[in-house]
Amino acid sequence: MTRTHHARTAAAIALVAATLSSCTSDPQPTAAPTSTVTAVATPTPTLEPTLKPASPTATPTPTPSVSVPPGNEPPPPLELVGEDFEAIVRSFEAYRSWALSNPAPGLLRDIYHDDCPCMEQERLLAHYNEEGLRWIGEPLTVISVDVVDQSHPNTVILRVVYEGPEPSFIINADGEILENVDPDPRFTEDDVFVREDSESPWQLIDFVDHGPVDIDEEDADA
């Protein structure tokens, strides 16, 4: 989800750099929560290497690069059917991260409902694709998943605690790092998923970002 989705995250959900300010709108959740939905703000990628060019008399400094996986690896399997919501959220995050590393328009429709504000990230993938950019990183770590409400059989509200395990990068086609993205501290979202029927995959339609988790306080309550 950058915290996209959703984040998502994201997320939300939830580690994506974007040039589009429209991802920061505040839509209302379509299900039970009445709190204001805050779509996750996404940092703007720097489209030029951040290192200053060396002076004519200086020894040239190499552009930093990372070990980059191939850009045509197959997607992870989508396991979005059923009631194992922890497995569903983990599958969702793995696919979302793969889509950002293999950008092409249309990929996010497999996990986002058409009415989700996160569908704006389709434009982000198109931008990455046009510019030869890729996001390189690991999926958000899913710390916990709890059902908040499932009063309707085809709508569920999940309270999910996420954490960005390590830094990620925006790179160009040559593997040069254009931007370093800091890992997300542990944070909580209410993610709203919908499906057509019991045999259909769940799709994210909305989310409420509750912000960072105080890990010391969380451990004390455990």
Side-chain angles (χ1 to χ4, degrees), residues 100-157:
L100 292 167
S101 295
N102 299 267
L107 294 178
L108 295 180
R109 294 185 182 278
D110 290 332
I111 58 173
Y112 291 153
H113 190 276
D114 285 344
D115 293 335
C116 184
C118 301
M119 280 302 294
E120 286 291 340
Q121 291 178 13
E122 277 286 298
R123 296 168 64 189
L124 173 62
L125 292 191
H127 170 73
Y128 279 9
N129 185 267
E130 291 170 2
E131 299 294 330
L133 304 178
R134 294 174 63 193
W135 175 88
I136 302 298
E138 296 295 324
L140 289 173
T141 298
V142 179
I143 304 298
S144 63
V145 178
D146 295 300
V147 176
V148 174
D149 184 12
Q150 197 179 4
S151 53
H152 188 285
N154 296 327
T155 301
V156 65
I157 303 172

Short mmCIF file of all heavy atoms in Angstrom, two decimals, residues 100-157:
data_model
loop_
_atom_site.label_atom_id
_atom_site.label_comp_id
_atom_site.label_asym_id
_atom_site.label_seq_id
_atom_site.Cartn_x
_atom_site.Cartn_y
_atom_site.Cartn_z
N LEU A 100 4.69 -3.41 -8.11
CA LEU A 100 5.51 -2.21 -8.09
C LEU A 100 6.90 -2.47 -8.66
O LEU A 100 7.55 -1.57 -9.19
CB LEU A 100 5.61 -1.67 -6.67
CG LEU A 100 4.31 -1.09 -6.10
CD1 LEU A 100 4.43 -0.88 -4.60
CD2 LEU A 100 3.93 0.20 -6.80
N SER A 101 7.36 -3.72 -8.53
CA SER A 101 8.68 -4.08 -9.08
C SER A 101 8.61 -4.46 -10.55
O SER A 101 9.64 -4.55 -11.23
CB SER A 101 9.28 -5.25 -8.28
OG SER A 101 9.55 -4.86 -6.95
N ASN A 102 7.39 -4.72 -11.04
CA ASN A 102 7.18 -5.11 -12.44
C ASN A 102 6.06 -4.25 -13.02
O ASN A 102 5.00 -4.76 -13.40
CB ASN A 102 6.82 -6.59 -12.52
CG ASN A 102 7.92 -7.49 -11.99
OD1 ASN A 102 8.76 -7.94 -12.74
ND2 ASN A 102 7.92 -7.74 -10.69
N PRO A 103 6.24 -2.95 -13.05
CA PRO A 103 5.11 -2.04 -13.30
C PRO A 103 4.53 -2.19 -14.70
O PRO A 103 5.24 -2.19 -15.69
CB PRO A 103 5.74 -0.66 -13.09
CG PRO A 103 7.19 -0.84 -13.35
CD PRO A 103 7.51 -2.22 -12.86
N ALA A 104 3.22 -2.30 -14.71
CA ALA A 104 2.46 -2.30 -15.96
C ALA A 104 1.02 -1.94 -15.62
O ALA A 104 0.50 -2.39 -14.58
CB ALA A 104 2.52 -3.66 -16.66
N PRO A 105 0.37 -1.12 -16.41
CA PRO A 105 -1.02 -0.75 -16.12
C PRO A 105 -1.92 -1.98 -16.06
O PRO A 105 -1.73 -2.95 -16.80
CB PRO A 105 -1.40 0.16 -17.30
CG PRO A 105 -0.09 0.69 -17.81
CD PRO A 105 0.90 -0.43 -17.60
N GLY A 106 -2.88 -1.95 -15.16
CA GLY A 106 -3.86 -3.02 -15.05
C GLY A 106 -3.59 -4.04 -13.97
O GLY A 106 -4.50 -4.76 -13.55
N LEU A 107 -2.36 -4.10 -13.45
CA LEU A 107 -2.02 -5.14 -12.49
C LEU A 107 -2.79 -5.00 -11.18
O LEU A 107 -3.18 -6.00 -10.57
CB LEU A 107 -0.51 -5.13 -12.21
CG LEU A 107 0.41 -5.50 -13.37
CD1 LEU A 107 1.86 -5.40 -12.94
CD2 LEU A 107 0.09 -6.90 -13.88
N LEU A 108 -2.99 -3.78 -10.73
CA LEU A 108 -3.60 -3.58 -9.42
C LEU A 108 -5.09 -3.90 -9.40
O LEU A 108 -5.68 -4.01 -8.33
CB LEU A 108 -3.36 -2.14 -8.95
CG LEU A 108 -1.89 -1.79 -8.70
CD1 LEU A 108 -1.76 -0.34 -8.24
CD2 LEU A 108 -1.27 -2.72 -7.66
N ARG A 109 -5.70 -4.05 -10.58
CA ARG A 109 -7.11 -4.41 -10.61
C ARG A 109 -7.35 -5.82 -10.07
O ARG A 109 -8.49 -6.18 -9.75
CB ARG A 109 -7.66 -4.29 -12.03
CG ARG A 109 -7.67 -2.86 -12.54
CD ARG A 109 -8.32 -2.73 -13.91
NE ARG A 109 -8.26 -1.35 -14.37
CZ ARG A 109 -9.12 -0.40 -14.01
NH1 ARG A 109 -10.10 -0.71 -13.19
NH2 ARG A 109 -9.00 0.83 -14.48
N ASP A 110 -6.29 -6.60 -9.96
CA ASP A 110 -6.43 -7.93 -9.37
C ASP A 110 -6.64 -7.88 -7.86
O ASP A 110 -7.14 -8.84 -7.27
CB ASP A 110 -5.19 -8.78 -9.67
CG ASP A 110 -5.09 -9.16 -11.13
OD1 ASP A 110 -6.14 -9.26 -11.80
OD2 ASP A 110 -3.96 -9.35 -11.62
N ILE A 111 -6.23 -6.78 -7.22
CA ILE A 111 -6.31 -6.72 -5.76
C ILE A 111 -7.12 -5.53 -5.24
O ILE A 111 -7.57 -5.53 -4.10
CB ILE A 111 -4.91 -6.69 -5.13
CG1 ILE A 111 -4.09 -5.50 -5.64
CG2 ILE A 111 -4.18 -8.01 -5.37
CD1 ILE A 111 -2.75 -5.33 -4.92
N TYR A 112 -7.31 -4.49 -6.07
CA TYR A 112 -8.08 -3.31 -5.67
C TYR A 112 -9.44 -3.31 -6.36
O TYR A 112 -9.54 -3.55 -7.56
CB TYR A 112 -7.35 -2.02 -6.05
CG TYR A 112 -6.09 -1.72 -5.29
CD1 TYR A 112 -5.07 -0.96 -5.88
CD2 TYR A 112 -5.88 -2.18 -4.00
CE1 TYR A 112 -3.91 -0.67 -5.19
CE2 TYR A 112 -4.73 -1.90 -3.31
CZ TYR A 112 -3.73 -1.14 -3.91
OH TYR A 112 -2.57 -0.85 -3.23
N HIS A 113 -10.47 -2.97 -5.60
CA HIS A 113 -11.78 -2.73 -6.20
C HIS A 113 -11.73 -1.44 -6.99
O HIS A 113 -10.99 -0.51 -6.66
CB HIS A 113 -12.83 -2.63 -5.07
CG HIS A 113 -14.24 -2.61 -5.56
ND1 HIS A 113 -14.86 -1.46 -5.98
CD2 HIS A 113 -15.16 -3.60 -5.69
CE1 HIS A 113 -16.10 -1.73 -6.33
NE2 HIS A 113 -16.31 -3.03 -6.18
N ASP A 114 -12.54 -1.35 -8.05
CA ASP A 114 -12.53 -0.16 -8.89
C ASP A 114 -12.85 1.12 -8.12
O ASP A 114 -12.43 2.21 -8.52
CB ASP A 114 -13.53 -0.30 -10.05
CG ASP A 114 -13.02 -1.25 -11.13
OD1 ASP A 114 -11.81 -1.55 -11.14
OD2 ASP A 114 -13.85 -1.70 -11.95
N ASP A 115 -13.59 1.01 -7.01
CA ASP A 115 -13.97 2.19 -6.24
C ASP A 115 -12.96 2.55 -5.16
O ASP A 115 -13.17 3.52 -4.42
CB ASP A 115 -15.34 1.97 -5.58
CG ASP A 115 -16.47 1.87 -6.59
OD1 ASP A 115 -16.29 2.43 -7.71
OD2 ASP A 115 -17.50 1.26 -6.29
N CYS A 116 -11.88 1.79 -5.06
CA CYS A 116 -10.87 2.10 -4.03
C CYS A 116 -10.06 3.32 -4.45
O CYS A 116 -9.61 3.41 -5.59
CB CYS A 116 -9.94 0.91 -3.83
SG CYS A 116 -8.73 1.16 -2.50
N PRO A 117 -9.84 4.28 -3.54
CA PRO A 117 -8.98 5.42 -3.88
C PRO A 117 -7.57 4.99 -4.26
O PRO A 117 -6.86 5.71 -4.96
CB PRO A 117 -8.98 6.27 -2.60
CG PRO A 117 -9.41 5.35 -1.51
CD PRO A 117 -10.35 4.38 -2.14
N CYS A 118 -7.18 3.79 -3.84
CA CYS A 118 -5.84 3.29 -4.18
C CYS A 118 -5.68 3.00 -5.66
O CYS A 118 -4.54 2.81 -6.13
CB CYS A 118 -5.54 2.02 -3.39
SG CYS A 118 -5.61 2.22 -1.61
N MET A 119 -6.77 2.95 -6.41
CA MET A 119 -6.65 2.73 -7.85
C MET A 119 -5.88 3.86 -8.54
O MET A 119 -5.43 3.72 -9.67
CB MET A 119 -8.03 2.56 -8.48
CG MET A 119 -8.63 1.18 -8.29
SD MET A 119 -7.58 -0.15 -8.96
CE MET A 119 -7.64 0.22 -10.71
N GLU A 120 -5.70 4.99 -7.85
CA GLU A 120 -4.83 6.04 -8.38
C GLU A 120 -3.42 5.52 -8.63
O GLU A 120 -2.68 6.07 -9.44
CB GLU A 120 -4.79 7.23 -7.42
CG GLU A 120 -6.05 8.08 -7.42
CD GLU A 120 -6.23 8.86 -8.72
OE1 GLU A 120 -5.23 9.05 -9.43
OE2 GLU A 120 -7.37 9.27 -9.01
N GLN A 121 -3.03 4.47 -7.91
CA GLN A 121 -1.69 3.92 -8.09
C GLN A 121 -1.51 3.28 -9.46
O GLN A 121 -0.38 3.02 -9.88
CB GLN A 121 -1.39 2.91 -6.98
CG GLN A 121 -1.25 3.57 -5.62
CD GLN A 121 -1.00 2.56 -4.53
OE1 GLN A 121 -0.69 1.40 -4.80
NE2 GLN A 121 -1.13 2.98 -3.29
N GLU A 122 -2.62 3.02 -10.17
CA GLU A 122 -2.50 2.56 -11.55
C GLU A 122 -1.72 3.59 -12.38
O GLU A 122 -0.92 3.24 -13.24
CB GLU A 122 -3.89 2.34 -12.16
CG GLU A 122 -4.51 1.00 -11.83
CD GLU A 122 -3.86 -0.12 -12.62
OE1 GLU A 122 -3.93 -0.11 -13.86
OE2 GLU A 122 -3.26 -1.00 -11.99
N ARG A 123 -1.97 4.87 -12.11
CA ARG A 123 -1.26 5.93 -12.82
C ARG A 123 0.21 5.94 -12.42
O ARG A 123 1.10 6.25 -13.24
CB ARG A 123 -1.92 7.28 -12.53
CG ARG A 123 -3.34 7.37 -13.04
CD ARG A 123 -4.06 8.57 -12.49
NE ARG A 123 -3.44 9.82 -12.94
CZ ARG A 123 -3.77 11.01 -12.46
NH1 ARG A 123 -4.68 11.13 -11.49
NH2 ARG A 123 -3.18 12.10 -12.92
N LEU A 124 0.49 5.58 -11.18
CA LEU A 124 1.88 5.49 -10.73
C LEU A 124 2.61 4.37 -11.49
O LEU A 124 3.73 4.56 -11.96
CB LEU A 124 1.93 5.23 -9.24
CG LEU A 124 3.30 4.95 -8.63
CD1 LEU A 124 4.22 6.14 -8.81
CD2 LEU A 124 3.19 4.58 -7.17
N LEU A 125 1.96 3.20 -11.63
CA LEU A 125 2.59 2.11 -12.36
C LEU A 125 2.83 2.49 -13.82
O LEU A 125 3.86 2.14 -14.40
CB LEU A 125 1.72 0.85 -12.29
CG LEU A 125 1.57 0.15 -10.94
CD1 LEU A 125 0.90 -1.19 -11.11
CD2 LEU A 125 2.90 -0.02 -10.23
N ALA A 126 1.87 3.22 -14.40
CA ALA A 126 2.06 3.67 -15.78
C ALA A 126 3.25 4.62 -15.88
O ALA A 126 4.03 4.55 -16.84
CB ALA A 126 0.78 4.35 -16.28
N HIS A 127 3.41 5.50 -14.89
CA HIS A 127 4.55 6.41 -14.87
C HIS A 127 5.86 5.64 -14.76
O HIS A 127 6.82 5.90 -15.49
CB HIS A 127 4.41 7.39 -13.71
CG HIS A 127 5.62 8.21 -13.44
ND1 HIS A 127 6.01 9.24 -14.25
CD2 HIS A 127 6.56 8.13 -12.45
CE1 HIS A 127 7.12 9.78 -13.78
NE2 HIS A 127 7.48 9.12 -12.69
N TYR A 128 5.92 4.68 -13.85
CA TYR A 128 7.12 3.85 -13.71
C TYR A 128 7.43 3.15 -15.03
O TYR A 128 8.59 3.10 -15.47
CB TYR A 128 6.91 2.80 -12.62
CG TYR A 128 7.11 3.26 -11.20
CD1 TYR A 128 7.28 4.61 -10.89
CD2 TYR A 128 7.11 2.36 -10.14
CE1 TYR A 128 7.45 5.03 -9.59
CE2 TYR A 128 7.29 2.77 -8.84
CZ TYR A 128 7.46 4.11 -8.57
OH TYR A 128 7.63 4.52 -7.28
N ASN A 129 6.40 2.59 -15.65
CA ASN A 129 6.59 1.85 -16.89
C ASN A 129 7.13 2.75 -17.99
O ASN A 129 8.06 2.38 -18.72
CB ASN A 129 5.26 1.22 -17.29
CG ASN A 129 5.37 0.31 -18.50
OD1 ASN A 129 5.17 0.76 -19.62
ND2 ASN A 129 5.71 -0.94 -18.28
N GLU A 130 6.58 3.95 -18.12
CA GLU A 130 7.01 4.88 -19.16
C GLU A 130 8.44 5.36 -18.95
O GLU A 130 9.19 5.55 -19.91
CB GLU A 130 6.07 6.08 -19.20
CG GLU A 130 4.66 5.75 -19.70
CD GLU A 130 3.70 6.89 -19.49
OE1 GLU A 130 4.15 7.96 -18.99
OE2 GLU A 130 2.51 6.73 -19.81
N GLU A 131 8.83 5.57 -17.69
CA GLU A 131 10.14 6.12 -17.38
C GLU A 131 11.20 5.04 -17.14
O GLU A 131 12.37 5.36 -16.90
CB GLU A 131 10.06 7.01 -16.14
CG GLU A 131 9.13 8.21 -16.28
CD GLU A 131 9.64 9.20 -17.31
OE1 GLU A 131 10.87 9.28 -17.49
OE2 GLU A 131 8.80 9.89 -17.95
N GLY A 132 10.82 3.77 -17.18
CA GLY A 132 11.78 2.71 -16.92
C GLY A 132 12.18 2.61 -15.46
O GLY A 132 13.30 2.18 -15.15
N LEU A 133 11.29 3.01 -14.56
CA LEU A 133 11.59 2.99 -13.12
C LEU A 133 10.99 1.74 -12.49
O LEU A 133 10.03 1.16 -12.98
CB LEU A 133 11.00 4.23 -12.44
CG LEU A 133 11.42 5.58 -13.00
CD1 LEU A 133 10.72 6.70 -12.24
CD2 LEU A 133 12.93 5.75 -12.94
N ARG A 134 11.61 1.34 -11.38
CA ARG A 134 11.09 0.21 -10.61
C ARG A 134 11.27 0.48 -9.13
O ARG A 134 12.21 1.16 -8.72
CB ARG A 134 11.82 -1.09 -10.98
CG ARG A 134 11.57 -1.56 -12.40
CD ARG A 134 12.44 -2.77 -12.72
NE ARG A 134 12.11 -3.92 -11.89
CZ ARG A 134 12.86 -5.00 -11.78
NH1 ARG A 134 14.01 -5.07 -12.43
NH2 ARG A 134 12.49 -6.01 -11.02
N TRP A 135 10.36 -0.06 -8.34
CA TRP A 135 10.49 -0.07 -6.89
C TRP A 135 11.06 -1.42 -6.49
O TRP A 135 10.58 -2.47 -6.95
CB TRP A 135 9.12 0.14 -6.25
CG TRP A 135 9.10 0.04 -4.75
CD1 TRP A 135 9.32 1.03 -3.85
CD2 TRP A 135 8.80 -1.13 -3.96
NE1 TRP A 135 9.20 0.57 -2.57
CE2 TRP A 135 8.88 -0.75 -2.60
CE3 TRP A 135 8.49 -2.45 -4.28
CZ2 TRP A 135 8.64 -1.65 -1.57
CZ3 TRP A 135 8.27 -3.36 -3.25
CH2 TRP A 135 8.34 -2.95 -1.90
N ILE A 136 12.11 -1.40 -5.67
CA ILE A 136 12.76 -2.64 -5.24
C ILE A 136 12.69 -2.70 -3.72
O ILE A 136 13.19 -1.82 -3.02
CB ILE A 136 14.23 -2.69 -5.70
CG1 ILE A 136 14.32 -2.57 -7.22
CG2 ILE A 136 14.89 -3.98 -5.21
CD1 ILE A 136 13.64 -3.68 -7.98
N GLY A 137 12.06 -3.72 -3.20
CA GLY A 137 11.95 -3.85 -1.75
C GLY A 137 11.17 -5.10 -1.39
O GLY A 137 10.76 -5.88 -2.24
N GLU A 138 10.96 -5.28 -0.10
CA GLU A 138 10.22 -6.42 0.42
C GLU A 138 8.80 -6.01 0.76
O GLU A 138 8.54 -4.85 1.08
CB GLU A 138 10.91 -6.97 1.67
CG GLU A 138 12.29 -7.54 1.42
CD GLU A 138 12.26 -8.75 0.52
OE1 GLU A 138 11.29 -9.55 0.62
OE2 GLU A 138 13.18 -8.91 -0.31
N PRO A 139 7.86 -6.94 0.70
CA PRO A 139 6.49 -6.62 1.13
C PRO A 139 6.46 -6.16 2.58
O PRO A 139 7.34 -6.52 3.38
CB PRO A 139 5.74 -7.94 0.96
CG PRO A 139 6.57 -8.75 0.02
CD PRO A 139 7.99 -8.33 0.25
N LEU A 140 5.45 -5.37 2.91
CA LEU A 140 5.25 -5.02 4.31
C LEU A 140 5.09 -6.29 5.14
O LEU A 140 4.46 -7.26 4.71
CB LEU A 140 4.00 -4.16 4.48
CG LEU A 140 4.06 -2.72 3.95
CD1 LEU A 140 2.68 -2.08 4.04
CD2 LEU A 140 5.08 -1.90 4.71
N THR A 141 5.69 -6.30 6.32
CA THR A 141 5.50 -7.41 7.25
C THR A 141 4.13 -7.27 7.90
O THR A 141 3.78 -6.19 8.41
CB THR A 141 6.59 -7.40 8.32
OG1 THR A 141 7.87 -7.59 7.70
CG2 THR A 141 6.37 -8.52 9.33
N VAL A 142 3.36 -8.33 7.88
CA VAL A 142 2.04 -8.34 8.52
C VAL A 142 2.22 -8.87 9.95
O VAL A 142 2.52 -10.05 10.16
CB VAL A 142 1.05 -9.20 7.74
CG1 VAL A 142 -0.31 -9.23 8.43
CG2 VAL A 142 0.90 -8.68 6.30
N ILE A 143 2.07 -7.99 10.92
CA ILE A 143 2.28 -8.37 12.33
C ILE A 143 1.06 -9.09 12.88
O ILE A 143 1.18 -10.11 13.57
CB ILE A 143 2.60 -7.12 13.17
CG1 ILE A 143 3.81 -6.36 12.61
CG2 ILE A 143 2.82 -7.50 14.64
CD1 ILE A 143 5.09 -7.15 12.61
N SER A 144 -0.14 -8.57 12.61
CA SER A 144 -1.36 -9.18 13.12
C SER A 144 -2.54 -8.77 12.26
O SER A 144 -2.52 -7.71 11.63
CB SER A 144 -1.62 -8.79 14.58
OG SER A 144 -1.82 -7.39 14.70
N VAL A 145 -3.56 -9.63 12.23
CA VAL A 145 -4.79 -9.37 11.50
C VAL A 145 -5.96 -9.77 12.39
O VAL A 145 -6.03 -10.93 12.84
CB VAL A 145 -4.85 -10.16 10.18
CG1 VAL A 145 -6.18 -9.91 9.46
CG2 VAL A 145 -3.68 -9.81 9.27
N ASP A 146 -6.87 -8.83 12.65
CA ASP A 146 -8.05 -9.11 13.46
C ASP A 146 -9.30 -8.64 12.72
O ASP A 146 -9.29 -7.57 12.09
CB ASP A 146 -7.97 -8.39 14.81
CG ASP A 146 -6.83 -8.90 15.67
OD1 ASP A 146 -6.82 -10.11 15.99
OD2 ASP A 146 -5.94 -8.10 16.02
N VAL A 147 -10.36 -9.42 12.81
CA VAL A 147 -11.62 -9.04 12.19
C VAL A 147 -12.33 -8.03 13.10
O VAL A 147 -12.61 -8.31 14.26
CB VAL A 147 -12.51 -10.27 11.96
CG1 VAL A 147 -13.88 -9.86 11.42
CG2 VAL A 147 -11.83 -11.24 10.99
N VAL A 148 -12.62 -6.86 12.56
CA VAL A 148 -13.35 -5.83 13.29
C VAL A 148 -14.85 -6.00 13.09
O VAL A 148 -15.63 -5.89 14.02
CB VAL A 148 -12.90 -4.42 12.84
CG1 VAL A 148 -13.76 -3.34 13.49
CG2 VAL A 148 -11.43 -4.20 13.15
N ASP A 149 -15.25 -6.28 11.85
CA ASP A 149 -16.67 -6.42 11.54
C ASP A 149 -16.83 -7.28 10.29
O ASP A 149 -16.16 -7.05 9.29
CB ASP A 149 -17.30 -5.04 11.31
CG ASP A 149 -18.81 -5.10 11.09
OD1 ASP A 149 -19.40 -6.17 11.35
OD2 ASP A 149 -19.39 -4.09 10.67
N GLN A 150 -17.73 -8.26 10.36
CA GLN A 150 -18.11 -9.04 9.19
C GLN A 150 -19.61 -9.31 9.26
O GLN A 150 -20.08 -10.42 9.05
CB GLN A 150 -17.31 -10.35 9.09
CG GLN A 150 -17.38 -10.98 7.69
CD GLN A 150 -16.57 -12.25 7.57
OE1 GLN A 150 -16.00 -12.75 8.56
NE2 GLN A 150 -16.53 -12.82 6.38
N SER A 151 -20.37 -8.25 9.55
CA SER A 151 -21.81 -8.39 9.67
C SER A 151 -22.46 -8.71 8.32
O SER A 151 -23.55 -9.27 8.28
CB SER A 151 -22.42 -7.12 10.27
OG SER A 151 -22.02 -5.97 9.54
N HIS A 152 -21.80 -8.33 7.23
CA HIS A 152 -22.25 -8.73 5.90
C HIS A 152 -21.29 -9.78 5.38
O HIS A 152 -20.07 -9.62 5.50
CB HIS A 152 -22.28 -7.53 4.95
CG HIS A 152 -22.91 -7.82 3.63
ND1 HIS A 152 -22.28 -8.54 2.64
CD2 HIS A 152 -24.14 -7.50 3.14
CE1 HIS A 152 -23.08 -8.64 1.60
NE2 HIS A 152 -24.21 -8.03 1.87
N PRO A 153 -21.77 -10.88 4.82
CA PRO A 153 -20.86 -11.98 4.44
C PRO A 153 -19.86 -11.62 3.36
O PRO A 153 -18.81 -12.29 3.25
CB PRO A 153 -21.82 -13.08 3.95
CG PRO A 153 -23.08 -12.37 3.58
CD PRO A 153 -23.18 -11.23 4.54
N ASN A 154 -20.11 -10.58 2.60
CA ASN A 154 -19.21 -10.23 1.50
C ASN A 154 -18.49 -8.91 1.74
O ASN A 154 -17.94 -8.33 0.80
CB ASN A 154 -19.98 -10.19 0.18
CG ASN A 154 -20.54 -11.55 -0.21
OD1 ASN A 154 -19.93 -12.58 0.08
ND2 ASN A 154 -21.71 -11.57 -0.81
N THR A 155 -18.49 -8.45 2.97
CA THR A 155 -17.71 -7.27 3.36
C THR A 155 -17.04 -7.57 4.70
O THR A 155 -17.69 -8.09 5.62
CB THR A 155 -18.59 -6.02 3.51
OG1 THR A 155 -19.25 -5.75 2.28
CG2 THR A 155 -17.76 -4.80 3.92
N VAL A 156 -15.77 -7.28 4.80
CA VAL A 156 -15.08 -7.49 6.07
C VAL A 156 -14.15 -6.31 6.34
O VAL A 156 -13.55 -5.76 5.42
CB VAL A 156 -14.27 -8.82 6.05
CG1 VAL A 156 -13.13 -8.79 5.02
CG2 VAL A 156 -13.72 -9.14 7.44
N ILE A 157 -14.10 -5.92 7.59
CA ILE A 157 -13.19 -4.87 8.03
C ILE A 157 -12.12 -5.52 8.90
O ILE A 157 -12.45 -6.15 9.92
CB ILE A 157 -13.91 -3.76 8.82
CG1 ILE A 157 -15.04 -3.18 7.96
CG2 ILE A 157 -12.94 -2.67 9.23
CD1 ILE A 157 -15.94 -2.23 8.73
#
